Amino acid sequence: MSAGPVVWWGRRAVLFQEETEKDVGKPKVVLGVSGGIAAYKACDLLRRLTESGHDVRVVPTASALHFVGAATWSALSGHPVPTEVWDDVHEVPHVRIGQHADLVVVAPATADMLAKAAHGLADDLLTNTLLTARCPVVFAPAMHTEMWEHPATQENVATLRRRGAVVVEPAVGRLTGADSGKGRLPDPGEIFEVCRRVLARGVGEPDLAGRHVVVSAGGTREPLDPVRFLGNRSSGKQGYALARTAAARGARVTLIAANTGLPDPAGVDVVPVGTAVQLREEVLRAAADADAVVMAAAVADFRPAAYAAGKIKKQDGREPEPVALVRNPDILAEISADRARPGQVVVGFAAETDDVLANGRAKLKRKGCDLLVVNEVGERKTFGSEENEAVVLDAEGGETPVAHGPKEALADTVWDLVAGRLG
Ligand SMILES: Cc1cc2nc3c(=O)[nH]c(=O)nc-3n(C[C@H](O)[C@H](O)[C@H](O)COP(=O)(O)O)c2cc1C
């Protein structure tokens, strides 16, 4: 045997050992990549997973390697990339990789991969891994609209979901070439959020399956002239966490998003709006057949009474005219008083600076909603943060405190309470 291969195998064995020690205690994720044009976006997902403390093994299919090479997967994951069941046979990779995983995520999942997974085919390393994995499995499909909508693909997706896999709905948008429609891979950040959530909570019961929920998020902007507006600091992150978690629990979700600039949560219908009046119109439209409406958006109480068609100019030596304001509609009070369907659950949010619970209780009564999420605004609890803490008040006088933690945790508590009320 020549010296070359001996040194190479020796170095690789050492690398495996070092990496095993380095990765002790980290959640083990298998990132399966199948042969779609969106394979390059899986590099971003891989980065997010490794940078947030996951030990990731990438298993690309032969077709995926036409799009992104093994060197990229290896360098980004910090591990060798097995591409064949026949590589390192003494380690039985076709069984071991799946057995040791805490999560398998396939992104992008081609129509072909969904079909193979649904039918239990095992003709390459990734399909073998899918059969041996006993952990949660997430598929993020990406393909042309015709392929996605084909009854064969839809039946395969239904089969996988019935067996407990999480199949993320593709996004709507630009596809390969000039086409656009449903079938685009969701934003890698959103697939990452799904993975994080599944790792934290497991696949869970889809207790909102068959329900339609409406969530408002962000902050309205009330224009003064073509370049200025009256706005607020709401980032929309809490509303997006609510939308994402509801979708993960099986709900059909309509997210009315006011000026957030955040990527669309996977599997959620997003309706962009600007002003309070537009938000009211879209919330009322979506609420008509909704089981629950959660108003997490910060809606401006007032708007400028007049809109100047041209930019308001500075006048030499003169103070500006005062801006007259008029009241905006009170959407939370309106939908609470006039429920679009019997048993519809309405949830409001209140940001308070002092006397938090007393003010929250008074607001709950005034608005007539079922639940009010009260959070104290202040240091470490500012708009835009990734975390939140709150007390959820209910119309019967109950209080559910939610400790400081990710916005998803608060969102899950809200859905637990909503699901309880929906029975
Ligand atoms: C340029 C190009 C782009 C493709 N994009 C997709 C895609 O986005 N989704 C898909 O399901 N198939 C796509 N295909 C077809 C798959 O590559 C093909 O079905 C292949 O057999 C999938 O193999 P795999 O599932 O083992 O990775 C594409 C093919 C080519 C040549």
Side-chain angles (χ1 to χ4, degrees), residues 34-37 61 63 67 110-113 116 142-143 147:
S34 51
I37 196 82
T61 63
S63 299
F67 295 95
T110 56
D112 175 67
M113 185 50 59
K116 284 178 174 168
M143 62 200 72
M147 293 174 88

Side-chain angles (χ1 to χ4, degrees), residues 128-171:
N128 275 275
T129 299
L130 287 168
L131 282 186
T132 52
R134 292 294 173 269
C135 58
V137 178
V138 174
F139 292 93
M143 62 200 72
H144 260 72
T145 311
E146 294 84 343
M147 293 174 88
W148 173 251
E149 287 178 348
H150 195 284
T153 304
Q154 287 303 305
E155 277 172 32
N156 292 332
V157 168
T159 301
L160 293 167
R161 283 185 173 146
R162 205 168 45 247
R163 289 196 200 124
V166 175
V167 185
V168 177
E169 283 293 303

